Amino acid sequence: MATNYQQARHLIARAHALAEVGHPPETIADILGIDLATLARYLETRGVPSTDRVRYLWAREIAEQIAAGNPPAVPDRWWEHGSCRSVGDPDAWFPVGAPDPAVLRTCDACPVQTACLTVALTRPERDGVWGGITHRHLLSLYRRIQRIRMHRRGYRARPWHSKREGAA
């Protein structure tokens, strides 16, 4: 698994290159050291996906690890090593609308990006940019973690049109 966004982008580019040459999926997964489900997600897009898409795919892998009960390790006092500490305006990390692309680029180069995102997904951080993931994508990942946990516990969603017992 990729440990940060840049490694994920590199793996996706290599997966596409190996697929174009004609290697079977099992061989590509072995070469890259990833499982077939991750490879399928990497190859589902045409060409090398956008920066935002790669960042979200990487975050989705971390969310799935958290939902499975084995989140990535978070070092003590990880925030002291964050690239965000060098940015002068703390409000840049809590934008009202879309975040500044410079903020996301700062996260992409951060040495503790995985720890930051893991912390945000294990406690409900509802605002701001965490690990290079925006507020909108964080909410999507929270819902994904909950769906995976519910599915593993045997719960199944009812159709929206079904009525509860005893409802009028």
Side-chain angles (χ1 to χ4, degrees):
M1 186 196 102
T3 57
N4 64 27
Y5 151 77
Q6 291 166 332
Q7 287 179 356
R9 187 160 177 82
H10 178 73
L11 282 175
I12 290 171
R14 285 187 61 202
H16 278 278
L18 291 169
E20 285 178 14
V21 174
H23 288 291
E26 294 81 13
T27 305
I28 297 172
D30 286 342
I31 290 171
L32 299 179
I34 57 177
D35 58 80
L36 288 173
T38 302
L39 177 63
R41 278 198 304 268
Y42 284 176
L43 295 176
E44 72 185 6
T45 57
R46 291 195 294 178
V48 177
S50 70
T51 300
D52 289 335
R53 178 72 179 150
V54 174
R55 192 179 291 120
Y56 183 73
L57 286 171
W58 167 76
R60 199 166 92 175
E61 288 179 20
I62 292 176
E64 289 172 0
Q65 287 181 358
I66 292 169
N70 42 332
V74 177
D76 292 336
R77 305 180 68 80
W78 61 271
W79 57 89
E80 292 178 352
H81 306 288
S83 298
C84 55
R85 292 177 59 93
S86 64
V87 176
D89 184 17
D91 291 336
W93 304 100
F94 298 93
V96 175
D100 181 14
V103 167
L104 298 179
R105 283 193 303 274
T106 302
C107 284
D108 292 341
C110 184
V112 291
Q113 183 183 23
T114 302
C116 181
L117 182 61
T118 301
V119 166
L121 291 175
T122 53
R123 24 170 233 213
E125 294 294 345
R126 301 285 182 211
D127 295 315
V129 175
W130 290 83
I133 302 299
T134 63
H135 165 74
R136 181 175 60 98
H137 286 138
L138 280 174
L139 292 177
S140 171
L141 292 168
Y142 291 138
R143 289 190 300 268
R144 182 171 187 76
I145 290 169
Q146 292 306 315
R147 278 193 312 268
I148 291 170
R149 286 179 176 165
M150 296 286 282
H151 182 75
R152 289 191 178 171
R153 291 180 186 142
Y155 293 104
R156 301 291 182 258
R158 293 186 312 176
W160 63 271
H161 53 77
S162 67
K163 292 186 177 181
R164 293 186 197 178
E165 292 181 25

